[in-house]
Amino acid sequence: MSTPDFTCFQCETDADGLVTATFDVPGKTMNTLTQAAIAEIEALANWLKDDEALKGCVITSGKDNGFCAGADLQEMTALLTKAQGQSEDDKREAFKLAFALNRVFRSLETCGKPVAMAINGLALGGGLEWALSCHYRVVGSSSKIQLGLPEVKVGLMPGAGGTQRLTRLVGVMAAGPLILEGKSLRPQEAQMQGVVHEVSDDPVAAAKAWIKGGGKAKNPWDEDGFRIPGGAPQGKAGQMFMVGNAMLRQKTYANYPAPIHAMAAVYEGLQLPFDRALEIESKYFVKTLATPQAQNMLRSLFLSMQDLNKGARRPKGVDKDKIESLAVIGAGFMGAGIAYVAAKAGVKVVLLDTSQDNADKGKAHSETLVGKAVSRGKMSQDKADALLANITPTTDYTALGDVDLVIEAVFESREVKEAVIKQAEAHMKPDAILASNTSTIPITELATYSGRPDQFVGIHFFSPVDKMLLVEIIRGDKTGDRAIATAMDLVMTVKKTPIVVEDARGFYANRCVLKYIEQGLSMVAEGVPPALIENAAKMAGMPVGPLALQDEVAIDLGVKILKQTADDLGNAYKPGAVDAILNGMFAQGRLGRKNGQGFYVYPKGEDKYLWDGLSDYVTGSPQSLDPQDLKDRFLYAQALEAVRSYLSEIVTDPREADVGSILGWGFAPWSGGVLSFVEMTGLEPFIARADELAQEYGDVFAVPDGLRKMAEQGERFYPLMAVA
Amino acid sequence: MTDCFIYDAVRTPRGRGKKDGALHEITPISLATQVLQALRDRHDLDTGLVDDVILGCVEPIGEQGADIARTAALHAGYAETVAGVQINRFCASGLEAVNMAAASIMAGQTQAAIGGGVESMSRLAMGASGGAWPIDPSVAIPAYFVPQGISADLIASKYGFSRQDCDAYAVESQKRSAQAWEEGRFQNAIVPIKDVMGVMVLDRDEHMRPGTTVEGLAGLNPSFAMPGQMGFDDVAIQKYPELERISHVHHAGNSSGVVDGAAGVLLGSERFGEVAGLRPRAKIKGFAMIGSEPCIMLTGPEFVTQKLLANLRMKPSDIDLWELNEAFAAVVLRYMQALDIPHDKINVCGGAIAMGHPLGATGAMILGTMVDELERTGKSTALVTLCIGAGMGVANVIERV
């Protein structure tokens, strides 16, 4: 038999009949399991099965950047359409499509010849599942290699045997974090846990050696008398499922269908023969795809985020700049954080402050962070040294003369910023861009201090800068495209996600999150028990309760923002529950987490607990203690503010509104973001519920006319089937 | 409707449910068999008159599997015409078995039956039979499944019972159980258990600790803090979000004891009594069952009591004696709080905290205790109820004849 024609594999057969199949999908920078690739894996399996001259096969990758990143989500449209269909025929069709990958991997697993995989780069999702269907796995020794099943992070579950093979390989306990939380493993960990057989500097040679040494063409679960490590679900592993179910609810509030379905697939699958187990997995996979949560998460957290990270919103026709140098003025917490992320990305950073001491302190922030990373084995000493060498602390404004971009992150005061802007521009190159990291002062206003307002832009990093993945780029009235493009290039260089927003109070994220905190404080005043407020918020999918969040932000800062808003609005400002509580607590010396006293009490070395003095701030009686009502208030208050922002074009692209809401302030990721939440509720039901809430709780829930119009005309934020 | 009478009620002593417990060597079938034989032999009963043997058993697998009720009837030498069925209403199985037997008699479909239960907890541990409710993710996650101890701690947290309250209750349970034994109140009901040679191995409840004090209990570690921390506290809080935390007040000393035992109640129509030559001791006035919220799980007795009293057109003040299984101290404290029952009218002979709770059998045991106690005190009416896994309640009202 001759070698079949492959386009995704380069196959070489040696004198002993050992095939080396190098996986290299044409036209893709990263190997994914495209339809063509899947068909060829099946052809490879059949060839191995039918050609008696062949003795075995080693599969490896021809790409530098990894082995295989899993299924091709862009190609999933047909499957998604069928999975969302209402009829049983649609579901059966969806199952057939979903099962294809399981069927193909199974054919490779049962081809009768030993198949070894030499994993010479990251293997994620379907990539790892493919490896698990092989009889032997050798992984390269590079610490860059990751093995994992990240499906749940984008609303999906493993659907190509991962829930069945991994559990049968290492047991339910060890497989849990990979399948249910999307944790990934480095080569050494993977070997220790038994996910791979061997770590080698030359995985291809090691894989060949295993086959030549008589490697067996059978996986453990196909052997007679196979027992699941750690026991079966209705046996020894019962306890693990009991606790596992509780942990799943503890961590996810049961808001995410995918991990629950994955857990169910494991539970049911482990009680079935292997081939039937694969079918159950595919059925749960289809069931997951049919949920709005999966569709929305896939759209926002995978597709939209990928688009935005690639600069989908970068102005057209402006040449891409590689940001090589940056100056940050103001080495406080924000400035120091910006310097760190830039230096980490290889950017030369001038970190400027009024005194050398302050500038050095700013650099010390990076020293602390890399120190931690090195001691935890997450960064090499070389990398750490290189990172620190990129930061030059100084007081000398002439250092700005060499950089392409300057970001000011000085104290939030118009006077201070005016002085800094003027002084900086006096030293900057004429074509350099100047950015402000302000979170409260309009960019258009700051631009009046600039001699070249078209080169002036807002770049709003979130705190803490090293952790927060979102950056708002703020367009002032006169900001030009080149300034936007340069800001975006920086954000992409530091591997964060940029969204472009218009110049409005609180920009986008802060104005929305403020509505969240506001609801929490209003509830305190109404007399809703504080524990119920915090728990209901977390049940809605928020990462932190509103009272705990206010403590993190700090109560004195809250007071400051209220005062600023009151000054700006003048007579139009109406103080409410928020003012009474924040001002009152501030007067009592309660500043939040930073002084250990806020809405919570923070005893040293122990868990925080709610302060019992909050009852003094109750001024009314609650209209409802139903957690569903409280959840709705939290989500609707934020979603409505986002809709207002969208309709008034503060944020103009639904992808930015959604991704921004999840990355910026942790808005219920299960929903796919603020606008996705509105859309999954349905515009009309959303409006009806908001109208009810407005009656009960006031104008915060007033529905903008624009949304009513959209509903009337049957418009949506996203086109139907925008997924893939 | 035919009246259903209780002609007799017997039970085994409760052996400590551990490897060194006196009844650990006794097979569950032997426990059930000795109970059935006692009911026959005490009355020289023609077992051919009995239609059915209904036994509760919560872990009906292994040696408690394969319909232990029919097996026990055969093994006890009952007439082969006596049918048998094993039922499972978790902790109320023993009372449920009695109620099912009564229902059939009251409906005129049977003349006589034995209701009871058996559980060898030392031989088949709690949870041995698995099940979908605690384990299957598709069931357990939406049901907010938590172990019962977490539910008991949730009751204490929600209704404000402190560790001190629960310990004080436990001490009283020990005191009353010891006194009841001292006064011979259980003497009539006890079937001493014999080993394979025919030698008596236990004739008294083995789990009691009569000298227990509140100070002594203070040293015990909470039993459910660890599972709580593993995630179950958060599950309970997600169901009851008004709580900031769960306080873990229950421990081995204020929760029901793990024990081995069996019980049987002989029920029949008036006509059966005449034919068999037996005098009725009490009459079943009525019974009811209910489902309640499954996460807090153990509050069903309150609701089933209200349902049953309403069915019978009775008021709480019509009940002379109350008996609620002492699954956990907070369960009884909440019941007393909810229905305003004085402590001196409930669990007057102590309960499962002192003497133990052989899951499938307890309901029939405490019903028997009430029959004896009504006779001893000359009182008229008693209500017997138990809290139940997955959120249920079963109750029964009897009247002395």
Side-chain angles (χ1 to χ4, degrees), chain B residues 317-334:
Chain B
S317 57
D318 297 330
I319 303 296
D320 300 317
L321 292 173
W322 302 79
E323 185 78 15
L324 165 59
N325 181 38
E326 294 177 345
F328 299 91
V331 170
V332 186
L333 291 173
R334 170 56 193 158

Side-chain angles (χ1 to χ4, degrees), chain A residues 72-75 80 154 295-310 312 655 659 722-724:
Chain A
D72 196 305
L73 295 174
Q74 309 281 356
E75 283 191 6
L80 270 164
V154 293
Q295 293 155 27
N296 289 358
M297 285 178 74
L298 184 61
R299 178 172 63 202
S300 292
L301 292 170
F302 185 78
L303 301 168
S304 299
M305 201 148 105
Q306 208 172 48
D307 292 347
L308 298 178
N309 288 344
K310 282 183 186 158
R655 293 174 301 181
V659 173
V723 168

Side-chain angles (χ1 to χ4, degrees), chain B residues 87-365:
Chain B
I87 59 117
N88 183 7
R89 178 105 56 195
F90 298 135
C91 297
S93 298
L95 188 62
E96 183 64 43
V98 169
N99 291 347
M100 284 180 168
S104 179
I105 291 163
M106 290 157 102
Q109 303 304 301
T110 52
Q111 288 299 316
I114 291 167
V118 56
E119 204 83 41
S120 176
M121 298 179 76
S122 70
R123 292 169 77 107
L124 286 138
M126 248 190 295
S129 60
W133 169 50
I135 296 172
D136 184 339
S138 306
V139 178
I141 296 173
Y144 295 83
F145 169 81
V146 297
Q148 293 179 354
I150 299 289
S151 301
D153 286 340
L154 172 58
I155 290 175
S157 306
K158 185 169 163 62
Y159 296 104
F161 303 115
S162 66
R163 166 82 185 244
Q164 185 83 18
D165 296 335
C166 293
D167 285 356
Y169 180 86
V171 167
E172 183 63 21
S173 171
Q174 293 285 0
K175 207 172 105 191
R176 290 183 184 187
S177 300
Q179 188 184 350
W181 267 104
E182 225 163 85
E183 293 174 3
R185 296 194 209 171
F186 298 121
Q187 215 53 60
N188 180 51
I190 291 291
V191 179
I193 290 299
K194 295 176 176 172
D195 68 10
V196 289
M197 303 183 296
V199 174
M200 195 273 284
V201 291
L202 192 70
D203 62 355
R204 192 178 163 90
D205 291 329
E206 196 183 18
H207 183 273
M208 297 182 291
R209 293 168 180 270
T212 302
T213 61
V214 170
E215 295 71 37
L217 291 179
L220 293 176
N221 285 326
S223 301
F224 307 102
M226 176 101 86
Q229 208 173 15
M230 288 166 97
F232 290 113
D233 278 358
D234 284 310
V235 173
I237 287 172
Q238 286 182 30
K239 186 69 193 177
Y240 292 88
E242 68 271 26
L243 298 174
E244 189 178 4
R245 69 179 61 80
I246 304 296
S247 38
H248 293 288
V249 298
H250 288 98
H251 51 75
N254 58 23
S255 310
S256 54
V258 172
V259 293
D260 302 333
V265 179
L266 177 60
L267 301 131
S269 62
E270 192 173 6
R271 165 129 187 81
F272 160 76
E274 286 163 15
V275 173
L278 296 174
R279 194 188 70 78
R281 298 178 62 192
K283 188 178 133 185
I284 305 268
K285 280 203 67 148
F287 48 85
M289 69 293 289
I290 203 167
S292 60
E293 199 284 296
C295 177
I296 203 164
M297 200 183 316
L298 310 176
T299 52
E302 174 191 344
F303 309 115
V304 76
T305 298
Q306 286 164 340
K307 180 177 177 177
L308 177 56
L309 291 181
N311 285 350
L312 294 172
R313 296 191 164 70
M314 293 173 78
K315 304 183 297 293
S317 57
D318 297 330
I319 303 296
D320 300 317
L321 292 173
W322 302 79
E323 185 78 15
L324 165 59
N325 181 38
E326 294 177 345
F328 299 91
V331 170
V332 186
L333 291 173
R334 170 56 193 158
Y335 187 69
M336 287 157 61
Q337 182 188 58
L339 298 175
D340 201 13
I341 300 168
H343 197 170
D344 60 8
K345 281 193 169 186
I346 187 166
N347 298 349
V348 291
C349 296
I353 289 175
M355 293 178 284
H357 172 25
L359 309 178
T362 307
M365 286 188 173

Side-chain angles (χ1 to χ4, degrees), chain A residues 233-234 238 241-243 245-250 253-254 260 263-264 267 284 531-532 535 539 609-610 627, chain B residues 130-132 134-138 140-142 144-145 229-232 234-235 237-238 241-245:
Chain A
Q234 283 288 349
F241 276 92
M242 235 171 86
V243 173
N245 291 334
M247 284 168 63
L248 196 50
R249 177 177 273 287
Q250 175 186 41
Y253 292 80
I260 294 176
M263 187 87 157
Y267 169 81
Y284 271 111
L532 181 56
N535 287 329
M539 285 156 69
Y609 58 90
L610 283 157
Chain B
I135 296 172
D136 184 339
S138 306
I141 296 173
Y144 295 83
F145 169 81
Q229 208 173 15
M230 288 166 97
F232 290 113
D234 284 310
V235 173
I237 287 172
Q238 286 182 30
E242 68 271 26
L243 298 174
E244 189 178 4
R245 69 179 61 80

Side-chain angles (χ1 to χ4, degrees), chain A residues 156-298:
Chain A
L156 304 180
M157 60 171 269
T163 62
Q164 303 307 317
R165 290 196 180 87
L166 194 60
T167 46
R168 281 170 172 81
L169 189 65
V170 301
V172 175
M173 186 89 112
L178 279 89
I179 295 171
L180 303 176
E181 295 170 40
K183 293 228 162 99
S184 60
L185 302 174
R186 304 277 167 192
Q188 302 293 346
E189 296 171 297
Q191 189 192 18
M192 251 164 42
Q193 296 202 7
V195 176
V196 300
H197 300 87
E198 200 178 333
V199 177
S200 167
D201 293 335
D202 188 350
V204 174
K208 285 182 178 171
W210 175 77
I211 290 177
K212 300 216 167 176
K216 214 172 168 192
K218 225 177 204 185
N219 266 327
W221 39 90
D222 287 322
E223 302 278 4
D224 287 339
F226 168 72
R227 278 165 185 259
I228 301 155
Q234 283 288 349
K236 276 191 179 156
Q239 198 75 17
M240 261 187 297
F241 276 92
M242 235 171 86
V243 173
N245 291 334
M247 284 168 63
L248 196 50
R249 177 177 273 287
Q250 175 186 41
K251 287 180 184 166
T252 67
Y253 292 80
N255 281 329
Y256 300 82
I260 294 176
H261 291 166
M263 187 87 157
V266 169
Y267 169 81
E268 292 181 38
L270 289 182
Q271 300 179 74
L272 288 171
F274 195 74
D275 288 290
R276 298 298 295 272
L278 292 176
E279 289 178 18
I280 275 290
E281 181 192 73
S282 290
K283 289 185 178 184
Y284 271 111
F285 186 74
V286 169
K287 194 176 160 92
T288 305
L289 285 183
T291 64
Q293 291 92 332
Q295 293 155 27
N296 289 358
M297 285 178 74
L298 184 61

Side-chain angles (χ1 to χ4, degrees), chain A residues 538-556:
Chain A
K538 286 185 270 183
M539 285 156 69
M542 300 303 293
V544 184
L547 308 182
L549 182 59
Q550 181 66 65
D551 271 359
E552 296 294 330
V553 171
I555 290 169
D556 50 335

